[in-house]
Amino acid sequence: MKKSFFLISLIALMTLTSCRVTKTITMINAKSNAAETEVEFIKHKITSISFLPLSEEQEEIAISIWKKEKEQLEKNRLKKNSDIALVIFQSENQFRSILTPEQLQEYKAEYNDSMITKYFLSNRAMNEIKRIYKLEGEIR
C-alpha cells in the first residue's frame, strides 16, 4: 500500500514538474523571440524547418503566418502569459495546417514529444499550453 501510494505520488510530482518546466521554457522562448528582429525571427524559423521540403507557396504562407506571430508577440510581450500562449498556439496550428499529411508526419517526428525547441512546439507542448491556459481549438 505504501509503495503504490509513494509511486503514484512520485509520478504525479514528476508530471506536474514536467508541465511547469515545459510551460516556463515555452514562455521564455516566446518572449525572447519577441525581442528578435522580424528578419532574424523568420530566418530562424526557416532554418529550424530546413528538413521539410516546402513549396514556394507554402513558404510564402508560412512567412506571412510568422510575420503575424512576430507582430503579435511584440504587442503582447509585456502582457500575461495567457495572451502569449494564444499567439504561439494559433501560429503553430496555422503553420501545421499548410503542411501536407506527409510533411506533417515528418514535422511531428522531428519535433517529438521529448523535445522543447525555441521556435516550434511538439504535440505535448501544444497540449500542455492548451490545458494550462484553457485555450480552445484542435491541435493539428
Side-chain angles (χ1 to χ4, degrees):
M1 177 80 172
K2 283 186 178 185
K3 282 185 181 180
S4 63
F5 177 74
F6 175 73
L7 210 62
I8 291 171
S9 298
L10 184 61
I11 290 170
L13 178 64
M14 289 175 61
T15 302
L16 179 63
T17 303
S18 173
C19 291
R20 295 293 177 202
V21 168
T22 300
K23 176 193 133 194
T24 301
I25 292 173
T26 301
M27 289 302 113
I28 289 170
N29 285 340
K31 289 177 182 182
S32 71
N33 291 346
E36 294 179 344
T37 67
E38 184 179 280
V39 172
E40 290 172 327
F41 179 72
I42 291 172
K43 180 182 169 193
H44 289 131
K45 286 272 204 180
I46 291 171
T47 303
S48 296
I49 58 156
S50 61
F51 63 91
L52 278 179
L54 296 180
S55 69
E56 281 185 41
E57 181 183 5
Q58 284 176 311
E59 191 169 320
E60 287 174 17
I61 295 169
I63 289 171
S64 70
I65 290 168
W66 298 331
K67 283 182 178 183
K68 183 179 175 185
E69 176 186 5
K70 174 67 174 129
E71 181 183 305
Q72 293 297 315
L73 285 174
E74 287 175 355
K75 287 180 184 176
N76 292 305
R77 188 165 143 195
L78 301 176
K79 293 186 178 180
K80 296 184 285 185
N81 283 352
S82 58
D83 296 327
I84 295 169
L86 180 61
V87 170
I88 59 176
F89 183 83
Q90 289 176 337
S91 178
E92 180 74 20
N93 257 342
Q94 288 173 348
F95 173 69
R96 290 178 180 201
S97 73
I98 68 167
L99 300 177
T100 65
E102 295 80 23
Q103 288 172 323
L104 185 58
Q105 184 177 3
E106 187 176 347
Y107 174 80
K108 287 180 178 181
E110 182 73 21
Y111 292 108
N112 63 47
D113 288 344
S114 64
M115 295 178 62
I116 299 174
T117 63
K118 182 169 173 139
Y119 294 99
F120 294 97
L121 301 174
S122 68
N123 273 0
R124 179 179 173 201
M126 291 280 285
N127 279 315
E128 289 177 12
I129 287 171
K130 181 179 178 179
R131 181 185 56 78
I132 291 168
Y133 295 108
K134 296 172 180 58
L135 301 177
E136 297 295 321
E138 172 188 334
I139 296 173
R140 300 185 200 280

